[in-house]
Amino acid sequence: DTAYFRLNPFGKTFDMVTTAQEAQAFKPREAIFRFALERLRVAPENVLHVSLSQFADIEGVKPLGIKCAWINRGGERLGVFTPAPDYEFPDLRGVKRLFGG
């Protein structure tokens, strides 16, 4: 997964990237998100994770205290056992508005 990500040109727009392979864990395990927090050197409450997948992402970040914005493009219902995201938007414009854009 790290090799495939390096092939993607948009990856160069980020200061830091963490893959599941680097963390030696796969979503939704919390270990990948703990690994990212350690690399970022920030407290969980100062992070916003933007997710396209309720099952792969929300379930991994919420128990750690990381805020989550779910991009729910298909208007899915939240899973019965999935924690509620802090924000839910139909597209990325909602995240842009969060930051005053």
Side-chain angles (χ1 to χ4, degrees):
D1 127 303
T2 300
Y4 289 123
F5 193 84
R6 287 187 181 135
L7 293 173
N8 193 319
F10 86 87
K12 294 180 175 107
T13 62
F14 297 98
D15 294 332
M16 189 201 68
V17 172
T18 298
T19 66
Q21 182 179 3
E22 291 171 331
Q24 298 179 345
F26 293 93
K27 295 175 182 180
R29 287 192 48 217
E30 293 177 17
I32 185 173
F33 301 105
R34 285 185 198 281
F35 181 78
L37 286 171
E38 289 171 14
R39 291 191 68 205
L40 285 168
R41 295 183 181 159
V42 246
E45 61 271 13
N46 294 324
V47 174
L48 175 67
H49 181 77
V50 179
S51 167
L52 294 174
S53 170
Q54 62 174 298
F55 303 110
D57 294 319
I58 298 172
E59 291 181 12
V61 299
K62 290 304 293 175
L64 295 174
I66 296 173
K67 292 181 183 132
C68 184
W70 179 29
I71 309 304
N72 185 3
R73 290 185 173 143
E76 298 173 39
R77 295 185 74 185
L78 193 63
V80 177
F81 300 107
T82 303
D86 298 284
Y87 308 96
E88 181 177 339
F89 304 114
D91 56 44
L92 284 170
R93 287 179 286 223
V95 175
K96 184 177 178 182
R97 284 190 300 275
L98 275 179
F99 293 98

